[in-house]
Every structure is written in structure tokens, then in C-alpha cells.
Amino acid sequence: MGTSQLELSCPPQQAHALELWLQHAAGRILFEDVRAYATEKIDPTLPDETRLAVQKGIDDAMYGLMMVIDGVSGILRSGPQSVELSVTARLVNREPPGIAAELDLRDGDGMCMGYHGWLDGDYGDNIVTFVAR
């Protein structure tokens, strides 16, 4: 199910809990709109062994993305310069408009750490989303 079918829950107020919540929200978005999307595209007529191999490839690619987000890989360097990616999670208020909280995911507890729980559907102690009605 894509994130369009989910509704965001109320974020926690405590600063560290909010940071963790933002990281889990980012994980939920990536797992619903990237991993689940790719998984749904696997041909259902493929043999089970092949489907499992394709799913492993999807999961390995997701982990590679987590490593880039964390800064473990994905940095181009030459002499005094480098190019790095930055992925930011923002809690945005619609009324009044503005950014309520923002976190560069590289500064968080680690997307690679969250990945293993997200594979099992664990998005932390503070509920991030629920199914929209």
C-alpha cells in the first residue's frame, strides 16, 4: 500500500522522540513507495525461487540506499572537494504553513539501523501512520 493510503499520526513532542519518529516516517515512505512498489512489480508467474531472488535484489538495493543516506557510501571525492547527498525529513504544517521540524537523516540514529526493523514492519514506539479511512 502506498503512502497515499496512510494517514500521519501525531508526532511526539520530546525532541529525541521526534527525531526518531521523523526517521521512522522516512523509512515508512521509502518502504511503502519504493520497496513495496518494486515488490508489486515482480511477475507473479515467476517460479518461487526466482521471485525470492528478485525480492532479495530489491532488499539489497534498499539497504544500499540506506548506506548512501547514512553517508557510509555514496561520496565522490577529489582533492579538497566532495559531492555528497543529503536527504532531509521534514514535518510540515499546512495551517499555518511552515516547517515544524526538520532532520538531515545522516544526522539521525542511522537508516541502516532502522532498515532491519522496517523489513518486519516495525516503525518505532511512537506510531507514525495508520491506514486512512
Side-chain angles (χ1 to χ4, degrees), residues 4 9 11 25 68 70 89-90 113 131:
S4 63
S9 66
V68 169
D70 281 346
R90 292 186 185 128
M113 296 287 289
V131 177

Side-chain angles (χ1 to χ4, degrees), residues 45-56:
T45 64
L46 292 173
D48 289 344
E49 183 176 298
T50 304
R51 288 179 53 79
L52 288 172
V54 172
Q55 184 65 59
K56 181 182 182 320

Side-chain angles (χ1 to χ4, degrees), residues 13-33:
Q13 298 300 308
Q14 195 269 339
H16 185 66
L18 178 58
E19 285 183 5
L20 287 173
W21 184 86
L22 282 169
Q23 291 168 80
H24 284 300
R28 186 71 191 247
I29 291 167
L30 291 170
F31 269 62
E32 293 298 334
D33 290 342

